[in-house]
Every structure is written in C-alpha cells, then in structure tokens.
Amino acid sequence: MEAYLARGMHIDDFAPNLSFFFSNGMDPEYTVMGRVARRIWAVAMKEKYGANERSQKLKYHIQTSGRSLHAQEIQFNDIRTTLQALIAIYDNCNSLHTNAFDEAITTPTEDSVRRAMAIQLIINREWGLAKNENPNQGAFIIEELTELVEEAVLSEFTAIADRGGVLGAMETGYQRGKIQDESMTYEMLKHTGELPIIGVNTFRNPHGDAVLDKLELARSTDEEKQSQLQRLQDFHTRHAAQSPKQLKRLQQAVIDNKNVFEVLMDAVRVCSLGQITNALFEVGGQYRRNM
C-alpha cells in the first residue's frame, strides 16, 4: 500500500484490485484465517488510509496445505484436503485450490486431479451445510480464535515494523528465520510424536506401506527436452539484436527505481527468462541462504 501511495496513486484506484494468497493447514487457527484477514484489512483501509467501502473488502485465495501431504498412507491425504477445503468454504474464501493426494511425491496425475476437484464440487453442490453462509458464525470457538489470531497477527506486524518494515526485516532475515524456526518445530513434533499424524507417526499400518504397483510420474521425454532447448535457441537467435538493448533498459529501470514491471512487459517479448534473471542478478545480486 505504502509503495503505491508513494508513487502518487489514489488508494481507491488500486486497492480493489489487490488479492491475497493463503494456505489452509490442519491447525485450528486456519479456521478463522480469512475472517481475521478481512477484519484487519477493513480496519486498516478505513482508519489508516480513508479508503472507500469497496477498497475495504479483501479478496483472497486458499490453497490446501502441501505440508500436510505425506507419502506414507498416501490415500489419507484426500481426507486432510477435504477438511481444509471445508473450513475454507465455510470462511467464504473467494477462490480455492485443493491439492491432489499424490503431490507429496510427484506432479499430480489426471485421476488424482479429478479427485481433488471433486472435493470442492461435493462440498459446494452436495454438502448441505455449505449452502448456508457463515455456518460457524457465533460459535464460541470461532469467536475466541478470531480474537486470538488477530492479536497474534497484529503483534507480528508490530515486530516487523520495529525492524524497519517488511524490507527492513528482510535485510536481517527475520521472516525467513521465523519460517525456518517454525519448520524445525513442526518436524520435531512429528519426530517425537507430540503432533500425531495418522499413518505417519501414529496408527501406522502394521503391514507396512503398500507399494503402488503403478505410479505415473510426470516427466518429460528426452525428445520433449531437446525440443524445448531448440525452441529456446531459436528464440535467442531471432532476437539476438534486440535483447541486449532491452536487458540494459531493464537493468537501468531497477537502478533508477522505475516501474520495472512495465519494462518487463517489453523485455519478455525478446528475452528469455534466463536472460532476464541473469540481468537482474547483475544489478540486484543473488540471494544466498545463510545458515
């Protein structure tokens, strides 16, 4: 918001076009993530920025949790995805992506994708309670979780603000560190069994995991690989005279803090992703993870 406003744009000219991407997991807090986000957004838009009613309405997409998918007892993944989709729909997400059960090990197959899509269709078309808006509204646990999660989110916002905002916090690796700490905690709880995951660390199959006889792995053939490489080479050859100029223009836009996206729209017509990436590395550096 601040970046756009700093460019002289009016809040109501761009705020309605913004949308957000969240992931739903198995923890209870995910049940209220959407309503917490909508509340925080609406208050900030109205009280801090003086935005109109339309700008105060947050749009967001939910994807079910990839972290909750496991190779062990792989068929159980659909159950987890169904529950995650259910709370997303109950919380009135604007759009939803349901993971295929085999994403834990490979690119989804056509059959597994159809099953993932069926989860949404059955909830929306067959499940009676989902035909009512906000079916959990007013329940004690929902109201209590909403207050608790909102408080926790605002507290995190304060911690980021104290470090100079999002960009300032990134300079010290604050966000990445928090993610790494959370990931380590999650793995340790799985390892000790304090976080029960059915079929993975508790109620395991006494006969061992069944080995799938046929598992379709989505992999390109060598012919497809060579075809793509040839098309890339042809693209480079056709635009050899134009691409250096566009790459220089792109680099200069970054250096001058101009609208990089506008220049990118021209650059992608004559430059490949690899060329653009390397050009940006030259002026902006390349991230390397610190341990």
Side-chain angles (χ1 to χ4, degrees):
M1 305 302 297
E2 298 291 346
Y4 282 124
L5 291 172
R7 293 178 181 271
M9 298 179 67
H10 188 274
I11 187 76
D12 296 322
D13 288 341
F14 64 89
N17 297 324
L18 298 177
S19 60
F20 294 82
F21 189 111
F22 301 139
S23 173
N24 263 9
M26 299 295 287
D27 302 300
E29 290 84 356
Y30 291 109
T31 311
V32 300
M33 185 162 56
R35 67 186 63 216
V36 168
R38 287 192 293 266
R39 181 191 289 186
I40 291 175
W41 180 260
V43 171
M45 289 299 101
K46 180 180 179 180
E47 304 296 339
K48 180 174 176 61
Y49 298 109
N52 64 24
E53 183 177 345
R54 177 62 188 85
S55 297
Q56 295 169 29
K57 296 179 179 179
L58 177 140
K59 302 193 298 286
Y60 71 96
H61 170 83
I62 286 288
Q63 177 167 349
T64 56
S65 171
R67 187 176 77 168
S68 69
L69 303 181
H70 300 279
Q72 302 97 316
E73 301 280 7
I74 196 170
Q75 302 292 341
F76 290 2
N77 288 335
D78 275 344
I79 301 171
R80 299 182 179 99
T81 296
T82 299
L83 295 172
Q84 293 160 9
L86 192 65
I87 62 173
I89 290 171
Y90 279 5
D91 209 14
N92 295 303
C93 65
N94 296 93
S95 61
L96 175 65
H97 169 100
T98 37
N99 287 334
F101 74 93
D102 52 356
E103 286 187 39
I105 55 175
T106 185
T107 303
T109 64
E110 183 177 349
D111 288 341
S112 67
V113 168
R114 180 168 174 79
R115 285 177 60 173
M117 184 171 63
I119 292 173
Q120 295 194 42
L121 292 173
I122 291 170
I123 293 174
N124 279 309
R125 304 296 179 89
E126 297 185 32
W127 183 242
L129 194 56
K131 300 180 187 299
N132 298 274
E133 195 164 317
N134 291 325
N136 293 328
Q137 189 73 25
F140 171 79
I141 184 60
I142 297 299
E143 300 302 320
E144 185 73 4
L145 277 174
T146 301
E147 297 291 338
L148 290 171
V149 173
E150 182 185 25
E151 181 180 0
V153 171
L154 292 175
S155 176
E156 193 61 54
F157 281 1
T158 300
I160 291 174
D162 290 343
R163 289 165 172 79
V166 172
L167 296 180
M170 286 174 62
E171 291 294 326
T172 60
Y174 176 74
Q175 295 96 321
R176 179 167 291 273
K178 295 282 283 189
I179 293 170
Q180 291 171 344
D181 289 346
E182 173 64 21
S183 297
M184 178 63 75
T185 300
Y186 176 72
E187 292 300 324
M188 284 300 299
L189 291 176
K190 280 170 54 180
H191 182 72
T192 63
E194 294 175 76
L195 177 66
I197 301 176
I198 308 304
V200 176
N201 63 6
T202 186
F203 295 103
R204 298 179 65 180
N205 188 338
H207 306 294
D209 289 340
V211 178
L212 297 178
D213 294 330
K214 293 182 179 179
L215 179 62
E216 181 183 339
L217 297 177
R219 299 289 186 268
S220 62
T221 65
D222 186 64
E223 182 181 359
E224 290 170 332
K225 176 182 176 181
Q226 295 304 322
S227 174
Q228 177 62 25
L229 291 173
Q230 185 60 51
R231 289 200 301 273
L232 177 63
Q233 183 59 48
D234 292 343
F235 181 84
H236 284 165
T237 301
R238 288 199 311 273
H239 303 293
Q242 302 163 286
S243 58
K245 179 181 177 181
Q246 285 293 347
L247 292 173
K248 287 292 184 183
R249 180 177 167 226
L250 178 63
Q251 290 177 324
Q252 196 60 47
V254 173
I255 294 171
D256 295 339
N257 196 30
K258 292 184 177 179
N259 187 345
V260 177
F261 193 80
E262 181 182 10
V263 183
L264 270 175
M265 294 296 289
D266 294 329
V268 294
R269 299 177 186 276
V270 295
C271 307
S272 68
L273 178 61
Q275 290 175 312
I276 291 172
T277 301
N278 288 326
L280 293 176
F281 282 159
E282 289 178 9
V283 293
Q286 185 172 357
Y287 175 80
R288 285 289 181 265
R289 178 180 176 183
N290 293 321
M291 294 298 293

